[in-house]
Amino acid sequence: MKTISIVVPMYNEAEVLPKMYSELTATINALDYGFEIVLVNDGSRDDTVQEALKLVEKDERVLLVDLSRNFGKEIALTAGLDKASGDAVIPMDADLQDPPTLIPDLVKKWEEGYQVVNAKRISRDADSFMKRTSAAIFYRLFRKLSGKTEIPENVGDFRLLDRQALDSLLSMREHHRFMKGLFAYVGYRQATVEYERPIRAAGETKFNYWKLWNFSLEGITSFSIAPLKVSTYLGVASAAFAFLYGIYIFVRTVLIGEDVPGFPTIVVLVTFLGGVQLFFLGVFGEYMGRMFNEVKNRPLYFVAREYRQTKNDNGDKE
């Protein structure tokens, strides 16, 4: 019997975890597959670990990976994928916005021979206007800047990956991990299953607009050097403008004579060029900072402890 691993990163999900487990097991128990549920605690500050330990005690299929601190969702997801032992893996959020009832549809596509099955949201009506607009802008911008890596629009981490696709994904150990981009980068034969995304079952989202902005920068700088190219193009354009403007001043002076110096023009030009230079120093700094973190080659995460139900020689739980 083939086994499917369900990977659930968690940060302060104590309130929703029992309901998530109930709905998840109601779905997977009806499928003719073995299942493994990998729960990853990403430094939660509530009772997430205690609630997860109850599930470990109740169900031998549950593995709890307790990270040493909060490393962020992308790293927590990577830790869960590292621990997954199934023939396929399904990452999903604990808040039930990734509905477990969609898992049979993902598995069906896998049975048809697809190695990556994406779960695509039909609409984002549950999101604010600002969030929908910013997401649309990001997807369009990413497609233009990232070259051959194209992220499917309105597809999050919720998907199914075959073991071959998963092993390819895990071979990339970069520290600045933009998982949506990495999922798309590995390729393989892909299919899409559409669904209506429900509202969050409990708790509050961990993302705010500032985190989403940084997340977008992470994605663009991880998969594109276009911002660096822009600095080159802008530098050439500025030099060309300065050269042409110099010719204009020379011809005007020869033909008309010296006029009153344009002090405001000089101030505006110096301020503009100074701002452009500082902006692109920031861009260079973003890339250099990422290079700095990569060359240190530190481990992506540390595991404080793993919890899994075991049995002794008499078959009793320990």
Side-chain angles (χ1 to χ4, degrees):
M1 180 182 294
K2 289 186 176 181
T3 302
I4 299 174
S5 298
I6 310 293
V7 175
V8 186
M10 306 177 299
Y11 179 70
N12 294 344
E13 302 290 0
E15 186 178 357
V16 74
L17 192 55
K19 184 176 181 181
M20 185 279 296
Y21 171 79
S22 177
E23 293 193 17
L24 175 61
T25 52
T27 298
I28 65 177
N29 290 343
L31 298 176
D32 192 22
Y33 285 91
F35 278 89
E36 171 190 48
I37 304 173
V38 182
L39 305 178
V40 184
N41 176 50
D42 186 28
S44 297
R45 298 180 180 181
D46 62 356
D47 294 330
T48 296
V49 171
Q50 287 71 24
E51 292 296 331
L53 285 174
K54 294 177 183 178
L55 303 183
V56 172
E57 176 67 22
K58 180 191 300 185
D59 193 337
E60 63 182 8
R61 298 173 297 181
V62 176
L63 165 65
L64 172 60
V65 180
D66 188 18
L67 301 185
S68 61
R69 64 173 177 84
N70 177 257
F71 287 90
K73 183 184 177 183
E74 308 295 280
I75 298 297
L77 178 56
T78 300
L81 296 176
D82 283 340
K83 298 297 181 180
S85 60
D87 299 288
V89 62
I90 300 176
M92 61 178 289
D93 292 340
D95 58 12
L96 291 176
Q97 287 192 291
D98 297 338
T101 52
L102 195 67
I103 291 177
D105 295 330
L106 300 177
V107 173
K108 183 178 180 180
K109 287 293 183 181
W110 178 45
E111 292 172 341
E112 293 174 5
Y114 293 100
Q115 294 170 282
V116 178
V117 186
N118 301 312
K120 181 178 181 179
R121 288 162 281 185
I122 295 176
S123 67
R124 303 182 68 115
D125 293 340
D127 296 333
S128 66
F129 172 79
M130 181 64 71
K131 190 172 182 180
R132 294 197 304 268
T133 303
S134 59
I137 293 173
F138 169 74
Y139 282 118
R140 293 192 184 96
L141 185 62
F142 187 92
R143 282 196 292 269
K144 290 183 179 296
L145 298 181
S146 61
K148 296 181 179 180
T149 303
E150 183 172 339
I151 297 179
E153 193 165 353
N154 292 327
V155 174
D157 296 329
F158 190 33
R159 66 189 72 207
L160 181 147
L161 291 93
D162 183 83
R163 170 51 62 177
Q164 184 181 10
L166 176 61
D167 288 341
S168 298
L169 174 70
L170 294 179
S171 68
M172 297 181 285
R173 305 305 292 180
E174 56 205 65
H175 289 69
H176 291 270
R177 303 185 70 78
F178 180 63
M179 295 303 293
K180 293 180 179 63
L182 295 178
F183 284 136
Y185 184 81
V186 298
Y188 295 101
R189 191 178 178 211
Q190 301 195 11
T192 299
V193 174
E194 296 184 340
Y195 72 104
E196 288 280 358
R197 194 181 198 197
I199 62 173
R200 186 180 177 89
E204 297 179 354
T205 179
K206 310 305 183 298
F207 280 98
N208 53 40
Y209 285 112
W210 178 247
K211 289 183 178 180
L212 290 173
W213 167 255
N214 288 324
F215 189 59
S216 301
L217 289 180
E218 194 77 65
I220 291 174
T221 53
S222 294
F223 283 87
S224 175
I225 60 170
L228 297 176
K229 293 182 179 180
V230 171
S231 64
T232 302
Y233 299 148
L234 189 58
V236 171
S238 299
F241 172 78
F243 178 75
L244 294 175
Y245 188 69
I247 294 176
Y248 166 74
I249 293 298
F250 175 78
V251 172
R252 182 179 176 184
T253 302
V254 170
L255 296 180
I256 301 176
E258 188 71 24
D259 57 358
V260 178
F263 179 74
T265 303
I266 294 175
V267 171
V268 170
L269 288 175
V270 170
T271 304
F272 170 74
L273 292 176
V276 170
Q277 291 171 347
L278 290 174
F279 172 77
F280 282 105
L281 279 176
V283 173
F284 298 151
E286 287 288 336
Y287 282 94
M288 291 183 64
R290 282 157 174 73
M291 292 171 59
F292 175 69
N293 288 332
E294 294 297 335
V295 298
K296 286 188 292 187
N297 198 30
R298 291 174 178 170
L300 294 180
Y301 58 86
F302 296 103
V303 177
R305 189 171 178 182
E306 294 182 18
Y307 302 87
R308 174 166 250 160
Q309 185 185 124
T310 58
K311 295 183 178 180
N312 58 29
D313 295 336
N314 296 325
D316 298 324
K317 290 190 297 183
E318 294 181 340

